Amino acid sequence: MLRRLMTTGALALVLSTGMATAEPAKVMIPANPGGGWDGAGRHTMAAFAQSKIFTDGASFTNKGGAAGTIGLAEFVRTSKGDDNALLVTGVIMVGGVITNQTPVSLKDTTPLLRLTNEYNAIAVPANSPIKTPQDFIAAMKADPGALSVGGGSAGGADHVMLALLAKHAGAPVAKINFVSFSGGEILAALGGGKIKAAISGASEFRQFAETGRIRIIAVSGPTRVDGLNAPTLKESGIPVEIGNWRGFVGAPGMSEAAKKTWLERFAKLHQTPVWKETLKTQGWEDAYLPGDQFAAFLKAEDASWSSALKEVGILK
């Protein structure tokens, strides 16, 4: 995927909304290159360009760490009032704000929409003796500290999923060996055998699995993922289901006109064959929820994840 979608060089035109159209979007990706947030930002902006809904290009800034909260803080600090500034967000950031007790939160941004949902997968190195979900649970039950499991930031969906699996195994959550990675680093660590397993979005593992470097042994959704020969946790007798939604927020102080324009653009994109193909090729579930509905959803998520993090022992 291109790191930058170049502008057309056209002169700035002003819409009735007051927004300058010939200005690139400035997209903050709160993770290192190569991971789920990175793909969400770049593939979405590429779909905008391909469908000719927004053709003024996009510049991308990757700033990973602390469950996306470092990128969030930078975005809030540098983009106040910028009608073309967007931040990729998601459930991991919601958990990160709570876990890290950050002074900046999504309340400091302009909610735009939830766009996709993706279920997690458990993957292991190709030569791993862990071949089934039951093998994974047995290894965790035997010695949770010896089973090093990579994932995203502490407090995110990957971490919570591992904690839920530990509870099912009867293993103490305090003893799980969760190793945090940002972006595509987890794939190199897993493929190189530096960790014994990993939990992340199914789409992030798919390409490595197809080359034979890793094996996907389970997915966390209600049904199997098309194209992956892996059972769900539930059909394997493990009552764990967890998803990872992603979306976009605008800058603090984004004008109402700009918010309306971006929501109209996303609404148009959501209906295009280009976007439907993007969802299919990336293995994403359509989770479109715009505007005020998304703002209400964020409030509910904050309460839900606070409760979940306490329940599994990650948040005291």
Side-chain angles (χ1 to χ4, degrees):
M1 182 54 57
L2 293 174
R3 299 274 173 175
R4 180 180 174 88
L5 301 175
M6 299 304 292
T7 64
T8 62
L11 294 175
L13 300 176
V14 179
L15 289 173
S16 59
T17 61
M19 280 193 68
T21 60
E23 184 177 344
K26 301 159 195 167
V27 183
M28 169 67 78
I29 297 173
N32 292 340
W37 270 333
D38 193 57
R42 296 178 193 275
H43 286 297
T44 300
M45 299 315 294
F48 265 131
Q50 190 177 346
S51 60
K52 302 189 185 326
I53 291 170
F54 178 71
T55 59
D56 296 331
S59 61
F60 300 94
T61 300
N62 286 84
K63 187 168 285 290
T69 59
I70 292 176
L72 169 64
E74 179 75 3
F75 179 75
V76 169
R77 184 181 69 83
T78 62
S79 66
K80 289 183 176 68
D82 190 335
D83 285 347
N84 285 295
L86 304 174
L87 169 73
V88 184
T89 189
V91 67
I92 292 172
M93 188 176 289
V94 173
V97 166
I98 297 167
T99 303
N100 298 315
Q101 298 181 335
T102 60
V104 175
S105 75
L106 287 168
K107 294 175 184 176
D108 299 303
T109 68
T110 301
L112 291 177
L113 80 166
R114 186 185 68 190
L115 196 56
T116 65
N117 184 60
E118 181 178 18
Y119 290 104
N120 274 345
I122 303 173
V124 297
N127 59 356
S128 173
I130 298 174
K131 300 186 183 303
T132 67
Q134 291 84 356
D135 291 343
F136 183 90
I137 292 296
M140 176 166 283
K141 187 172 184 177
D143 190 349
L147 182 65
S148 55
V149 182
S153 298
D158 308 338
H159 193 187
V160 170
M161 178 171 158
L162 182 61
L164 291 171
L165 291 169
K167 288 188 74 173
H168 175 75
V173 173
K175 292 188 177 181
I176 62 176
N177 186 359
F178 182 77
V179 186
S180 181
F181 292 89
S182 181
E185 299 167 353
I186 192 172
L187 294 170
L190 183 63
K194 293 181 180 179
I195 49 178
K196 293 186 177 179
I199 297 173
S200 193
S203 67
E204 297 175 50
F205 289 145
R206 184 189 295 266
Q207 186 175 351
F208 264 47
E210 288 173 350
T211 63
R213 293 187 64 181
I214 64 174
R215 281 187 289 107
I216 297 173
I217 62 169
V219 293
S220 69
T223 59
R224 293 194 178 203
V225 176
D226 288 345
L228 294 184
N229 184 25
T232 67
L233 290 168
K234 284 193 170 183
E235 73 180 85
S236 304
I238 303 166
V240 172
E241 181 180 316
I242 190 166
N244 184 359
W245 64 264
R246 299 185 182 99
F248 286 84
V249 295
M254 174 180 274
S255 70
E256 284 299 316
K259 178 180 176 181
K260 181 174 182 290
T261 297
W262 277 110
L263 286 174
E264 287 172 351
R265 289 168 177 164
F266 277 111
K268 289 178 182 176
L269 179 69
H270 180 245
Q271 299 298 323
T272 64
V274 169
W275 182 245
K276 288 176 171 53
E277 183 62 23
T278 299
L279 291 173
K280 181 179 178 181
T281 57
Q282 295 304 310
W284 295 336
E285 183 180 71
D286 184 1
Y288 180 74
L289 189 73
D292 291 343
Q293 296 175 76
F294 178 53
F297 169 77
L298 284 178
K299 289 181 182 179
E301 277 288 87
D302 189 67
S304 175
W305 275 88
S306 292
S307 176
L309 289 165
K310 289 175 182 176
E311 180 183 346
V312 297
I314 293 172
L315 187 67
K316 304 302 181 185

